[in-house]
Amino acid sequence: GKYTTWLIVTSEYGCMDSTSMVIQVESPYSFYIPNAFSPDKDGLNEVFKPVGRGIDPSEYTMMIFDRWGRLVFLTHTPFASWDGYLGNGIRAPHGIYAYRFFVKDLEGKRHDYSGNFTILR
């Protein structure tokens, strides 16, 4: 938001003066995508889930592909997680998977991420 800040000073002789300035505080943007997860029910790293801040929840896409390029998971829910199961209820096998993220920050700038991560079983 925008905030007005004031500086008011008094000299040793009692003279006063002041000035103000409007400061624009912007929401910082950050987005982190993990490079591995281990859905093995040990309570640690059970899901593939990005984290971030300053993201417009109305424009978010996460896609996960298997090694043959088949889409195995799709969501438009910000910071949803993938549990490592395929659409048919079968566990995705150990290996490398690809992702694509399409995100818009709160300032309207679009970000496109692609890469890969590993499922450790």
Side-chain angles (χ1 to χ4, degrees):
K2 292 183 179 181
Y3 301 91
T4 303
T5 59
W6 285 91
L7 174 63
I8 302 169
V9 296
T10 305
S11 74
E12 60 190 56
Y13 303 108
C15 298
M16 294 183 65
D17 197 5
S18 64
T19 186
S20 66
M21 176 184 277
V22 175
I23 296 177
Q24 174 79 30
V25 178
E26 299 177 0
S27 175
Y29 170 80
S30 67
F31 194 66
Y32 170 75
I33 303 166
N35 62 5
F37 78 112
S38 58
D40 55 7
K41 303 201 185 312
D42 68 353
L44 303 170
N45 295 322
E46 295 296 324
V47 295
F48 177 77
K49 182 178 182 176
V51 294
R53 62 182 174 183
I55 293 171
D56 182 347
S58 69
E59 294 204 31
Y60 180 93
T61 300
M62 177 171 78
M63 297 184 292
I64 298 174
F65 304 90
D66 66 15
R67 67 173 47 180
W68 297 278
R70 291 183 296 219
L71 183 67
V72 296
F73 184 77
L74 169 69
T75 186
H76 297 288
T77 303
F79 305 112
S81 60
W82 182 48
D83 61 3
Y85 281 84
L86 304 174
N88 55 11
I90 296 173
R91 289 182 348 157
H94 173 86
I96 297 173
Y97 292 78
Y99 61 76
R100 288 292 305 266
F101 286 92
F102 300 98
V103 180
K104 186 169 86 170
D105 64 32
L106 294 176
E107 294 180 359
K109 183 177 178 190
R110 296 181 190 286
H111 305 268
D112 180 0
Y113 301 95
S114 60
N116 57 58
F117 64 95
T118 303
I119 293 180
L120 304 168
R121 296 237 185 233

